[in-house]
Amino acid sequence: MPQQHPRPARLALATATAAALTGGLLTFAAPPATAAAEDRPYEADFNGDGYGDVALAAPYVKLGDKGFAGYVAVLYGGANGIDPARRTVVNQDTAGVPGTVESEDTFGSALAVADLNADGYTDLAVGAAGEDGGEGSVTILWGSANGLAKGTEVADPAPAAHGEWGKLLTAGDFDGDGKADLAVGTGASHAYVIKGGFKADGTTGPARRIDVPEQAYAIDAMDAGDTNADGRADLVLTYRTDRTTDPSGSWSKGVAYLGSASGPDTATPRILNGGTSIALGDIDGDGYDEIALGNVFKTEDDHSGSLGGKVVVIRGSEGGPVNGDAPMAELTQDSTGVPGADEANDGFGSAVSIADTNGDGHGELAIGVVFEDLGTTEDAGATIVMNGSSSGVSRTGARTFTQNTAGVPGTGEATDYFGSDAVLSDVNADGHADFTVTAGFEDEGVGAITALPGSATGITTTGARTFGPGSLGQPRTYGGFGAGLIG
């Protein structure tokens, strides 16, 4: 087997708690405020009440005597935002859900949202990469007027070809037929696109294997959006090349496959920068989605890495992301307008998300900085929100949010990993995307999320709230609560 390159110890620890830095959990950007919104992955509204909802997982939680069993939860939105009192919590022992709670299943290790059966309610696809000793599974939890209810397993089309079916998930209408398709990553260097529609009896369209353009040993992240505004979603993957073919070390690379009438067009891959997190959304307001790629690797671990992490933003256009184009932005914490300083192992780019927080028609770029130190408090974590503008990522007005920011509940503590996951999405239907942030190792691995409202002036701490598993009636135990935020 190809040798996997080592990761920094702190990165490995965050992977074991929040899984946000390996691409194992996909963060979805909310649809931008442009005409391209309907072509993007689907904003979550599981109960169809017009308010956005937030889904999350605790994939490493112990249920009964079953360690690392995992559960998923939905917090339903309303006029005052997400509310833990209005929730659904699902594990594999929940009535109507396939499977059984077992050790090491890691139910919730990947999440995706889409209306997969076209009934007007968003559905939640859940990966359990550890199911059956690492074979993996994918379950669709169906939306309804009462929220999530019951589930259906999505069959693995080629179980002998890989393990960890469901390690990565994303959704989009890749062929433009009006039906949501589901992209499923594995523990190998290939993924599958399952064509919609999906039915409660397990019926789906055909599955198509998607291989990255060169020999690789891992797909790190996966997302979808419409970079050329043609009404078909484009599939974006990041992957690491096989070190055995490059003795000098590995590279993190990315690729975009534009949507076509037959699904992702793999004949003409668009080569991109690599990364460990991906988000798509319209930053400059021209109707084409940009691609933000966060990369937390250092150069000694990945040739395309950097000292403290970086985020590269690729501009969308009528032709999609064109090979060789100069990025819209290439950001580190030493870049003009980016708060902080570029320091080793900060994890800048641990999470990325794009949506319009102030209603001006330009998507803001949220960035996790999972290992940021707050003074002498190591690895407390931070997030940065950079403004969108007609020219792209604005270099003015960026704001930093931590658990020490005035108005943010809680206190920044060592190894909280605030910023391990983050999503911008409108959960109170006021036209401004709100900001939900995970602290994946809060209270030594219990995990917590913080909800910050959007407003006409952007993200605000007025009305900020923090939730942990206790707020959902779940035990406050190690579990990585808040992993894989989707909204």
Side-chain angles (χ1 to χ4, degrees), residues 352-374:
V352 286
S353 187
I354 302 170
D356 185 359
T357 68
N358 58 10
D360 67 353
H362 305 112
E364 274 63 64
L365 172 63
I367 302 169
V369 197
V370 66
F371 301 130
E372 184 80 57
D373 296 341
L374 302 181

Side-chain angles (χ1 to χ4, degrees), residues 15-294:
T15 300
T17 59
L21 308 186
T22 65
L25 293 175
L26 273 293
T27 302
F28 274 68
T34 72
E38 66 271 18
D39 306 322
R40 292 189 36 73
Y42 304 82
E43 186 172 82
D45 183 4
F46 301 105
N47 59 0
D49 65 355
Y51 294 101
D53 308 320
V54 169
L56 56 90
Y60 310 115
V61 75
K62 185 176 184 179
L63 299 176
D65 62 350
K66 310 298 183 183
F68 284 61
Y71 65 78
V72 299
V74 167
L75 303 178
Y76 298 103
N80 296 316
I82 53 176
D83 183 356
R86 299 179 63 241
R87 64 182 184 264
T88 298
V89 179
V90 176
N91 62 51
Q92 288 180 290
D93 279 348
T94 300
V97 175
T100 303
V101 166
E102 298 170 316
S103 297
E104 311 294 335
D105 277 355
T106 61
F107 185 71
S109 53
L111 301 176
V113 293
D115 183 2
L116 293 166
N117 59 357
D119 66 351
Y121 300 101
T122 306
D123 309 305
L124 180 66
V126 182
E131 181 82 33
D132 292 337
E135 292 184 9
S137 70
V138 175
T139 301
I140 298 173
L141 302 176
W142 302 108
S144 73
N146 296 317
L148 291 186
K150 301 183 180 181
T152 299
E153 187 169 352
V154 178
D156 185 342
H162 51 254
E164 297 184 284
W165 170 249
K167 179 182 177 182
L168 303 168
L169 294 170
T170 192
D173 184 5
F174 299 109
D175 55 11
D177 67 352
K179 299 177 182 178
D181 310 310
L182 183 65
V184 183
T186 70
S189 59
H190 59 264
Y192 293 84
V193 170
I194 313 296
K195 180 176 171 61
F198 294 80
K199 297 182 179 179
D201 64 2
T203 301
T204 71
R208 177 185 168 198
R209 176 166 160 162
I210 305 291
D211 289 279
V212 297
E214 58 189 307
Q215 189 171 355
Y217 67 81
I219 297 177
D220 281 324
M222 184 166 67
D223 205 349
D226 192 355
T227 64
N228 59 356
D230 67 349
R232 301 181 177 108
D234 310 318
L235 180 64
V236 182
L237 305 171
T238 60
Y239 60 94
R240 278 168 286 156
T241 57
D242 186 348
R243 178 170 271 187
T244 61
T245 64
D246 183 0
S248 65
S250 61
W251 290 84
S252 178
K253 297 182 179 180
V255 59
Y257 299 114
L258 298 187
S260 74
S262 58
D265 177 11
T266 56
T268 313
R270 309 300 178 91
I271 304 302
L272 309 173
N273 297 74
T276 50
S277 62
I278 307 173
L280 286 93
D282 187 2
I283 293 174
D284 57 8
D286 64 355
Y288 305 107
D289 281 347
E290 275 67 62
I291 303 171
L293 302 159

Side-chain angles (χ1 to χ4, degrees), residues 272-361:
L272 309 173
N273 297 74
T276 50
S277 62
I278 307 173
L280 286 93
D282 187 2
I283 293 174
D284 57 8
D286 64 355
Y288 305 107
D289 281 347
E290 275 67 62
I291 303 171
L293 302 159
N295 190 344
V296 300
F297 289 124
K298 293 177 62 177
T299 51
E300 54 261 44
D301 300 311
D302 178 345
H303 288 326
S304 56
S306 59
L307 179 65
K310 67 180 177 181
V311 175
V312 176
V313 181
I314 308 298
R315 189 184 302 274
S317 72
E318 184 177 1
V322 180
N323 294 345
D325 269 6
M328 172 185 281
E330 189 164 0
L331 306 170
T332 72
Q333 285 187 281
D334 276 351
S335 299
T336 300
V338 180
D342 188 22
E343 301 166 320
N345 298 314
D346 272 354
F348 179 81
S350 56
V352 286
S353 187
I354 302 170
D356 185 359
T357 68
N358 58 10
D360 67 353

Side-chain angles (χ1 to χ4, degrees), residues 423-447:
V423 65
L424 295 170
S425 63
D426 186 1
V427 296
N428 59 2
D430 67 351
H432 306 119
D434 309 298
F435 194 25
T436 311
V437 183
T438 295
F441 208 65
E442 180 83 24
D443 293 337
E444 299 185 355
V446 173

